[in-house]
Amino acid sequence: MRSSDSAFLDTLGVFYPGRAPQTPTCVYDYDIRVYRPFSMRRWVRPQIQFEIDHLHPFEPHPAENAFPMYEWGLNWCIASSAHRYLMLHAGSVAFGDRAMILPGTPGSGKSTLSAALVLSGARLLSDEFGLVRPERGDLLPMPRGIPLKNASIEAIREFRTDAPLGPTYPKTRKGRVSHVRPDDTSLAQQDRPAVPRWLIFPKYVAGVAETLEPLDKTDAFRQLAFNSFNYRLLGDAAFNAVGAIIRNVDCYTFRFSRLERAVEHLTALVAETETPGT
Amino acid sequence: MTADRRLWFRNRPDCLSDPVCEGVCFDPATGETHFLGDLPALLLSVIDSEPVSVDRLTQRLTGADAIADDDRKKMIGALLFLEAAELVESRFE
Amino acid sequence: MAAHDEKISQNRRKLFKALSAAPVVTTFSSGSALANASAHQCLANPPVASTPQYLEPLPAECSDSNPGANCMAYVERFYWDNDGLSGTHLQYWNNTVTDGRIVVLTDETTATLFTVNPDGSDPDPINTSWNYSVSGSNLIVPGQGGGATPVSLPGKTGYFLLEVVPNADLTGIQEAYAYPQATQDPLAQSCGTSLGVTATNGVHWVDG
């Protein structure tokens, strides 16, 4: 990861402390450069360019959105190359070595819920991508900033006034965006995989009472496969991996509106599962 | 019904079934995952590479030679669904 | 022999139970199979293969004065029937603006198989089955961007395509156009139609 943009590097340092070495000492997965292209735009409405392995897959973004663009670009890198893993469109957190998978579409509240769980002591495995090793069925951590959009930013600020939020980017392609920095424990344990134990399909519905309902396993299979980026690509490996997850987890749908209550429900579920004899 | 005179078979590797999720199967021949209702799943379980009639399938399933006409029509309907999904093939007797 | 008889008996019970249910078969295609699947071939090579199909009219923000790169469209494909949505089958195509029109479904042999937006923003399945609803025999496609008017599609068995365009300042999704796509046989995914270009209240109907 290289960049000449000092403001961007400062933000990167907050979210990935000590993880942006300037001197290559090992084999890298991606060679990324974030820089201001040399053109008239350098002075008038400056832009920033994302380069991956000397390619430019995207149009330049406004320079002030360098960090969100980097995060989205990194998503693109992973989604387009990490096909040795089953990629789930899901947030995932861990309680000890047991993972809770929260698949969902934009607006379902999965990122906000994941952030709230992490701020309440869960370990962040990943947001947006759940990376499953098909041969083992476990989830690999990839703790990165959790992007919150629009009203979710205030929701998290209200949930925890001391939430470690990065800068707010007021005008991105997703609206207002701010990232929750992963906690030190999650970062320190990013080499510690977790085994799926709960599969929860969250749905934020304004004003609704929190409701956790068991989900039929076949429906869960269908929905999890649907929420996998590369299910079709991996063929039988994905079929077996999704089946293995479904066999080993309790499946639920979860409608929620209040983060405090939502976290109470889910942590109670974890405690209940962990109680011997249940 | 012309489908009534067809012989049904599957001349490909077996589908992979999920042991927990009933009716969910992966077809290695096409790379597709299917979600089968009870009747198509049951029929698929007794279809193999030998082309057989609906009556023979009924016998494999129930031990009896025939079933009621309405039930027979449902079976043929399900077989047509399976054929459309490229899970089984058919040819005329 | 006893085991065989027990199996027969078990099958008989299963059969009588199964006969009372609809013979549902829904399919979730895999990527490796997709390239050879008839549906993909149909979409990649529409019936009039040499003539590109266009979305017209373009939303106002997608004009020649607004660079194509800022006016990307996304296409989703879903399977639905009059009983509701089932067997959702999702695919995206990366479209471009050419001569003031968005080209759709042509030369898509390299169609992206994952759901990261082509502009590099985070993975963003625009909508999924549970965001749609069925009212009577109509399929209701929700308006995008929180406030757009839902689109109602008269009952029709088959696939539909959903095209979504960012709004002018790229701060969100502004419009959703739905393109019902009839098929001769949804399960076999054989294609028997092409995208039409007649627009009525944002809904582009299907020829064939």
Side-chain angles (χ1 to χ4, degrees):
Chain A
M1 171 62 229
R2 291 169 289 153
S3 180
S4 55
D5 188 309
S6 57
F8 164 67
L9 284 174
D10 287 347
T11 308
L12 198 69
V14 171
F15 281 86
Y16 305 99
R19 297 191 180 277
Q22 302 300 309
T23 308
T25 56
C26 60
V27 177
Y28 291 108
D29 293 318
Y30 310 111
D31 179 16
I32 296 171
R33 196 159 71 100
V34 173
Y35 66 99
R36 297 191 182 198
F38 189 80
S39 69
M40 287 298 286
R41 297 292 285 265
R42 204 173 175 89
W43 295 281
V44 183
R45 297 180 66 190
Q47 294 185 314
I48 199 96
Q49 179 83 56
F50 182 91
E51 180 185 281
I52 163 75
D53 296 338
H54 305 288
L55 300 173
H56 304 98
F58 318 121
E59 294 295 316
H61 283 230
E64 63 269 24
N65 290 342
F67 186 68
M69 183 193 67
Y70 167 76
E71 287 291 310
W72 291 332
L74 200 52
N75 286 343
W76 184 89
C77 294
I78 295 163
S80 57
S81 67
H83 294 300
R84 59 192 176 283
Y85 306 116
L86 176 70
M87 286 185 265
L88 303 176
H89 186 219
S92 57
V93 298
F95 298 87
D97 289 327
R98 298 198 288 177
M100 179 179 285
I101 304 174
L102 302 157
T105 49
S108 64
K110 68 176 166 36
S111 292
T112 316
L113 190 54
S114 298
L117 286 164
V118 170
L119 292 170
S120 304
R123 175 162 67 101
L124 175 64
L125 295 175
S126 61
D127 183 63
E128 292 292 344
F129 287 100
L131 296 181
V132 178
R133 285 193 285 200
E135 69 280 12
R136 294 181 183 221
D138 55 2
L139 278 156
L140 293 183
M142 190 170 55
R144 294 166 50 197
I146 303 174
L148 301 176
K149 302 177 198 94
N150 305 314
S152 293
I153 301 170
E154 281 70 42
I156 284 294
R157 283 204 176 111
E158 194 177 317
F159 180 72
R160 288 284 186 276
T161 51
D162 58 347
L165 282 158
T168 298
Y169 303 93
K171 197 170 183 182
T172 76
R173 297 184 183 194
K174 298 286 182 178
R176 269 188 312 127
V177 170
S178 183
H179 300 74
V180 177
R181 182 190 182 278
D183 60 295
D184 291 340
T185 306
S186 298
L187 289 170
Q189 298 188 8
Q190 67 173 337
D191 296 324
R192 182 181 170 192
V195 178
R197 181 64 186 84
W198 303 274
L199 175 63
I200 294 169
F201 293 90
K203 181 73 181 168
Y204 171 81
V205 182
V208 78
E210 282 60 34
T211 313
L212 190 64
E213 289 182 339
L215 178 65
D216 171 77
K217 293 238 172 193
T218 302
D219 282 345
F221 189 112
R222 188 195 306 263
Q223 290 194 37
L224 190 61
F226 181 82
N227 278 286
S228 163
F229 294 114
N230 56 350
Y231 180 89
R232 301 184 202 101
L233 191 66
L234 295 188
D236 58 344
F239 174 79
N240 289 325
V242 169
I245 290 173
I246 298 296
R247 279 195 292 284
N248 294 322
V249 299
D250 297 331
C251 307
Y252 298 93
T253 58
F254 184 45
R255 286 153 54 92
F256 72 99
S257 62
R258 296 159 297 182
L259 277 180
E260 202 74 54
R261 294 285 296 146
V263 168
E264 281 173 21
H265 268 70
L266 296 183
T267 50
L269 175 70
V270 170
E272 185 182 302
T273 315
E274 286 175 341
T275 305
T278 61
Chain B
M1 188 186 287
T2 50
D4 204 6
R5 292 170 45 216
R6 289 189 198 174
L7 303 177
W8 301 91
F9 62 101
R10 177 182 169 84
N11 201 8
R12 301 166 174 187
D14 286 344
C15 288
L16 307 176
S17 295
D18 187 88
V20 169
C21 303
E22 280 187 17
V24 182
C25 69
F26 177 82
D27 186 351
T30 60
E32 291 179 338
T33 299
H34 303 277
F35 299 85
L36 306 180
D38 290 348
L39 184 54
L42 193 57
L43 285 166
L44 187 61
S45 73
V46 292
I47 292 174
D48 57 25
S49 59
E50 180 194 0
V52 293
S53 64
V54 174
D55 288 338
R56 180 75 184 113
L57 287 174
T58 305
Q59 198 177 42
R60 283 181 184 175
L61 278 171
T62 66
D65 288 334
I67 54 173
D69 274 357
D70 279 355
D71 291 342
R72 183 187 174 81
K73 283 177 185 167
K74 286 178 185 171
M75 283 180 64
I76 291 168
L79 287 165
L80 291 170
F81 269 87
L82 287 170
E83 186 179 40
E86 300 181 86
L87 283 163
V88 302
E89 296 172 75
S90 72
R91 64 174 173 78
F92 286 102
E93 290 181 61
Chain C
M1 210 46 205
H4 178 258
D5 289 347
E6 175 55 31
K7 181 72 181 167
I8 290 284
S9 174
Q10 194 180 27
N11 276 346
R12 193 180 293 138
R13 284 195 299 274
K14 278 187 181 173
L15 178 62
F16 288 123
K17 177 169 170 275
L19 283 166
S20 63
V24 180
V25 179
T26 56
T27 300
F28 202 110
S29 290
S30 84
S32 54
L34 192 66
N36 294 320
S38 57
H40 181 72
Q41 292 299 327
C42 292
L43 293 171
N45 302 293
V48 190
S50 58
T51 307
Q53 306 293 305
Y54 297 107
L55 302 189
E56 290 181 316
L58 283 178
E61 65 272 19
C62 298
S63 62
D64 284 339
S65 59
N66 198 357
N70 288 345
C71 188
M72 292 179 202
Y74 308 77
V75 175
E76 286 183 293
R77 186 157 59 94
F78 291 88
Y79 164 62
W80 71 292
D81 58 34
N82 289 342
D83 295 328
L85 287 149
S86 60
T88 47
H89 184 144
L90 177 64
Q91 185 60 274
Y92 285 78
W93 281 272
N94 184 355
N95 300 310
T96 56
V97 172
T98 302
D99 296 329
R101 297 182 291 190
I102 298 180
V103 182
V104 201
L105 306 176
T106 58
D107 190 26
E108 293 295 341
T109 52
T110 55
T112 311
L113 292 178
F114 47 85
T115 55
V116 170
N117 293 337
D119 67 352
S121 56
D122 54 355
D124 190 6
I126 294 160
N127 251 317
T128 57
S129 57
W130 54 80
N131 289 330
Y132 298 96
S133 59
V134 175
S135 172
S137 61
N138 287 0
L139 177 74
I140 308 299
V141 181
Q144 301 293 311
T149 308
V151 176
S152 176
L153 305 178
K156 195 169 185 178
T157 299
Y159 292 90
F160 70 90
L161 304 174
L162 177 69
E163 181 244 347
V164 183
V165 181
N167 60 6
D169 64 358
L170 303 173
T171 56
I173 299 298
Q174 187 192 37
E175 284 284 0
Y177 297 132
Y179 302 85
Q181 187 187 39
T183 64
Q184 292 170 335
D185 183 339
L187 286 172
Q189 301 179 5
S190 43
C191 74
T193 187
S194 62
L195 283 175
V197 295
T198 308
T200 307
N201 297 328
V203 176
H204 296 239
W205 293 104
V206 175
D207 296 335

